[in-house]
Amino acid sequence: MAPATAHAPRPAAPRRSRTAPGLVAMVVLVLHAAYSLREHRRFGTTGYDLGIFGQAVRAYADLSLPASEIRTATAPPGFTGDAYPLLADHFHPVLAVLGPLYRLFPHVETLLLAQSGLIALSTYVVSRAAQRHLPWPGARVTIGLAYGLSWGLQQLAGFDFHEVVFAVPLLALACRAHLDGRWVAAAGWAGCLVLVKEDLGATAAVFGLLLIRRHHRRAGLALGVLAVASTALVVCVALPAWAPDGRYGYLDQPYPYGMFDGWRAKSLTLLMLLAVTAGLVVRSPLGLLLLPTLAWRLISPNPAYWGPELHYSALLMPIAFAALIDVLRRGVRLPHAAPLLVALLLLPGQPLRDLARPGFWQDGPRQVAARAALLLVPDGARVAASNSLAPHLTDRARVYLVAEGVLDRDAPVDWIVADTRDAFPPGAVEAVLRRAEGAGWRRIRAEHGIVVLRLSARTSPVPPGSTRTR
């Protein structure tokens, strides 16, 4: 074990009530759950990603490896299977823990509630850390609420469901154990990150380096070896073994941009990250844990990773707030309400703002038409659904995305349900509807842009590549 360092853990604090952190977590749970469920109800969720993860968890509930019919729409060239093996895409066995829950409550909303619960759990952990390590009684509320309403977590809730939500409480627990001086526990929680997604092994490895350098050499070394070895095994062996083409598709993506392309989006991400801690995150060693996630995002060839949108910044929030608590407990002066003020100032540009918008709670004619159209699809059907409608059918049907090639499957779909406004994949909805109707599919409903087609017994198969119209 390493000798004591200059930043030794504080002595055990007097036992304090857990009521305030619990209430903060409950408030965050209600807000995130209300938003996620309503956004799904109003068809704001999509097949990419909620539908895909719904199919994955449904497979786990049936004691099968995760696979997705929706994911076949963007499968590598040459893939001909009925469902794409998701462990060939990303390594996320942690999703299996939702299998028993989904078996009890077989609805895609179960994933949304689980995500809200995991966010609330991490909020409780961060709030308790503030309660233990900061001298101000109100810090457990202001820091906890600032974290639960932070822009990174809101963006996660605003984009369907994603496996990275499991890393959020794991990082919060690891960082809190680090703050408490429980080095072995910190290593244990950080080690679990390798079960969430293959890129999180880098974060676990950096955590191991922190422990080696400052606190507990044995625990840090064990964590570092686990992180590096498991990441190498997953990326170089496991993912290619599951992949139909025998390769890990994210390892050799071409880089069509210059290093400084997208600097506005990248700068905005960094500025918003600094804002939630008033810049203090850079003054804690825990801030080093941000580097792996920031590095792969900022040098990625995919522009979707650069900005503060989507779910990619959720991983940064527990680290940033743990670093903030670390800095404040060492005497750096900052009003403890400042992070909450920043969160509130950013709120008008974040998803949860919609909770206060009356129109968010009202169904328009298009939502009503979509709901009626979905009821026409029988349980167990093979259906091609457009992106916004797909997650509403994955619980009870075999769902494919309305995309190129969906009508050419060996085992054809017999229903098409499409929203003509859906733009992913680009141009796919109009092209598929045109092909199907040209081949004799029967249109049984078309209202407010929601179209339902059915394959009748008299309909001839759709010739591959056909563009014939009526």
Side-chain angles (χ1 to χ4, degrees):
M1 181 181 297
T5 66
H7 303 301
R10 291 166 55 93
R15 188 174 183 85
R16 298 179 183 177
S17 170
R18 301 185 182 186
T19 302
L23 289 175
V24 170
M26 186 60 66
V27 169
V28 170
L29 172 63
V30 170
L31 292 175
H32 280 267
Y35 174 82
S36 296
L37 293 176
R38 178 55 193 165
E39 183 70 356
H40 177 66
R41 178 74 176 170
R42 64 193 295 268
F43 298 93
T45 57
T46 58
Y48 273 72
D49 285 330
L50 182 58
I52 291 175
F53 284 114
Q55 290 176 331
V57 174
R58 184 179 178 182
Y60 275 127
D62 293 335
L63 302 180
S64 302
L65 288 177
S68 170
E69 292 82 4
I70 294 174
R71 179 63 175 80
T72 60
T74 55
F79 177 77
T80 58
D82 203 45
Y84 192 79
L86 291 178
L87 289 177
D89 190 34
H90 288 299
F91 186 73
H92 39 49
V94 71
L95 289 174
V97 304
L98 293 181
L101 188 61
Y102 185 91
R103 196 167 184 86
L104 291 174
F105 307 100
H107 305 287
V108 76
E109 289 88 347
T110 298
L111 278 67
L112 299 176
L113 287 174
Q115 178 167 270
S116 300
L118 290 167
I119 291 173
L121 172 60
S122 70
T123 301
Y124 177 80
V125 174
V126 170
S127 185
R128 285 283 290 166
Q131 182 184 49
R132 174 180 173 82
H133 293 282
L134 300 182
W136 320 293
R140 58 192 175 184
V141 174
T142 56
I143 298 293
L145 281 176
Y147 169 80
L149 298 176
S150 61
W151 62 272
L153 296 183
Q154 288 199 52
Q155 290 297 328
L156 174 62
F159 187 68
D160 294 7
F161 171 92
H162 205 273
E163 79 267 61
V164 298
V165 70
F166 285 94
V168 174
L170 288 174
L171 284 167
L173 288 163
C175 288
R176 182 190 169 183
H178 188 281
L179 292 172
D180 293 347
R182 296 180 289 114
W183 317 122
V184 175
W189 289 119
C192 294
L193 293 172
V194 300
L195 301 175
V196 178
K197 199 161 176 269
E198 64 275 9
D199 59 280
L200 286 171
T203 302
V206 173
F207 210 120
L209 290 176
L210 286 179
L211 294 177
I212 291 172
R213 185 178 177 187
R214 291 173 169 266
H215 306 297
H216 197 299
R217 289 193 182 95
R218 255 185 265 174
L221 183 61
L223 175 59
V225 170
L226 169 69
V228 173
S230 61
T231 300
L233 183 64
V234 165
V235 171
C236 299
V237 179
L239 288 168
W242 274 307
D245 58 356
R247 54 189 289 272
Y248 176 47
Y250 298 94
L251 197 57
D252 56 353
Q253 289 183 342
Y255 199 99
Y257 306 97
M259 182 61 70
F260 297 102
D261 280 312
W263 65 269
R264 287 187 177 87
K266 296 174 182 178
S267 298
L268 181 59
T269 299
L270 295 175
L271 286 173
M272 292 180 67
L273 175 61
L274 292 172
V276 295
T277 63
L280 296 181
V281 64
V282 300
R283 299 183 61 175
S284 168
L286 290 172
L288 294 173
L289 298 175
L290 300 170
L291 296 182
T293 297
L294 289 175
W296 74 258
R297 288 180 59 189
L298 299 184
I299 67 174
S300 169
N302 189 344
Y305 298 152
W306 299 343
E309 303 84 8
L310 307 181
H311 53 276
Y312 302 107
S313 297
L315 296 171
L316 307 176
M317 297 300 107
I319 300 171
F321 277 83
L324 173 65
I325 294 170
D326 183 36
V327 172
L328 293 180
R329 71 173 177 169
R330 289 190 270 121
V332 174
R333 299 176 66 89
L334 178 75
H336 64 84
L340 179 58
L341 178 61
V342 171
L344 294 176
L345 288 174
L346 294 176
L347 186 59
Q350 301 304 314
L352 292 187
R353 71 182 184 279
D354 288 342
L355 291 172
R357 185 168 57 84
F360 182 71
W361 301 98
Q362 299 170 359
D363 280 344
R366 205 173 191 99
Q367 284 86 17
V368 173
R371 201 160 290 120
L374 293 172
L375 292 175
L376 298 174
V377 179
D379 292 352
R382 295 175 63 90
V383 55
S386 63
N387 201 29
S388 65
L389 304 180
H392 295 265
L393 289 166
T394 55
D395 298 332
R396 60 184 185 86
R398 191 142 193 160
V399 183
Y400 303 82
L401 195 68
V402 172
E404 181 182 358
V406 72
L407 299 179
D408 305 324
R409 310 195 63 82
D410 292 336
V413 296
D414 44 19
W415 289 82
I416 298 174
V417 185
D419 185 336
T420 55
R421 291 190 309 179
D422 281 343
F424 178 80
V429 171
E430 292 184 2
V432 170
L433 291 178
R434 188 163 56 246
R435 279 192 60 195
E437 292 190 286
W441 284 60
R442 186 160 56 95
R443 179 178 289 210
I444 62 175
R445 186 182 182 91
E447 187 178 359
H448 296 289
I450 310 298
V451 180
V452 181
L453 303 183
R454 184 177 181 181
L455 180 66
S456 65
R458 294 176 297 173
T459 302
S460 60
V462 181
S466 171
T467 56
R468 180 169 56 91
T469 57
R470 287 189 300 179

